[in-house]
Amino acid sequence: MAALVLVRPALDGLPGPARDPAHRAAGPAAAQHPLAGRARRIGRADPAEQRRSLVTGAGRHLPLRPLWLCRACAAPWPCATARLTLLREYADDRIALLIYLAGLLHEATGHLYTLNPHDAPQPGQLFDRFLAWARVRRQRG
């Protein structure tokens, strides 16, 4: 837990969709998107376009806090579309994706347990929902 607290201030200064007013409207503690500026370096010419994606763009597949449901499709967030988009956006840096998702997992855990402490998701379910799908899978061979 302490490592997450130490990493968070370093992520706050990075550019990207987290600074976009539409993304900030997603909630008072909108999670930071640490590598959003990477899109400019890999070939997108329009800086305004890099701030709009299926996950971080206004009205798209963002989490509805504190319920942690997708605003677009009402599935538990991250929904399938958000997962695919995050995998594409973080294709070059899976570790950064896992750090980002770990911060969201921490925030979601607090929200979900506060809303319903007796029937909240189990820790294993939350891990599968937020992190397990994003792990790097090693090929055996």
Side-chain angles (χ1 to χ4, degrees), residues 6 40 56-58 62 66 70 72 79 85 88 97 105 120 126 136:
L6 295 175
R40 185 180 326 122
T56 56
L62 290 169
C70 180
C79 63
T85 305
R88 186 184 73 230
L97 173 60
L105 170 64
L126 289 173
V136 177

Side-chain angles (χ1 to χ4, degrees), residues 66-130:
L67 299 175
W68 288 89
L69 298 174
C70 180
R71 290 177 183 262
C73 63
W77 198 90
C79 63
T81 303
R83 289 178 183 191
L84 290 173
T85 305
L86 285 166
L87 286 171
R88 186 184 73 230
E89 288 179 359
Y90 285 93
D92 296 340
D93 198 351
R94 189 65 64 97
I95 301 300
L97 173 60
L98 291 170
I99 291 170
Y100 173 64
L101 291 171
L104 295 177
L105 170 64
H106 176 70
E107 185 179 351
T109 301
H111 286 163
L112 294 172
Y113 278 93
T114 300
L115 286 175
N116 195 356
H118 302 294
D119 196 26
Q122 296 296 316
Q125 292 172 325
L126 289 173
F127 176 83
D128 290 344
R129 179 173 161 184
F130 281 88

Side-chain angles (χ1 to χ4, degrees), residues 6-94:
L6 295 175
V7 172
R8 195 70 155 155
L11 298 178
D12 288 341
L14 294 173
R19 303 296 178 253
D20 189 18
H23 183 69
R24 287 204 176 272
Q32 304 301 313
H33 193 292
L35 294 177
R38 170 166 292 191
R40 185 180 326 122
R41 292 191 301 262
I42 60 173
R44 287 190 190 164
D46 184 11
E49 180 183 337
Q50 85 181 17
R51 291 192 179 93
R52 302 197 196 296
S53 72
L54 289 173
V55 174
T56 56
R60 303 261 169 90
H61 292 266
L62 290 169
L64 177 63
R65 292 176 173 95
L67 299 175
W68 288 89
L69 298 174
C70 180
R71 290 177 183 262
C73 63
W77 198 90
C79 63
T81 303
R83 289 178 183 191
L84 290 173
T85 305
L86 285 166
L87 286 171
R88 186 184 73 230
E89 288 179 359
Y90 285 93
D92 296 340
D93 198 351
R94 189 65 64 97

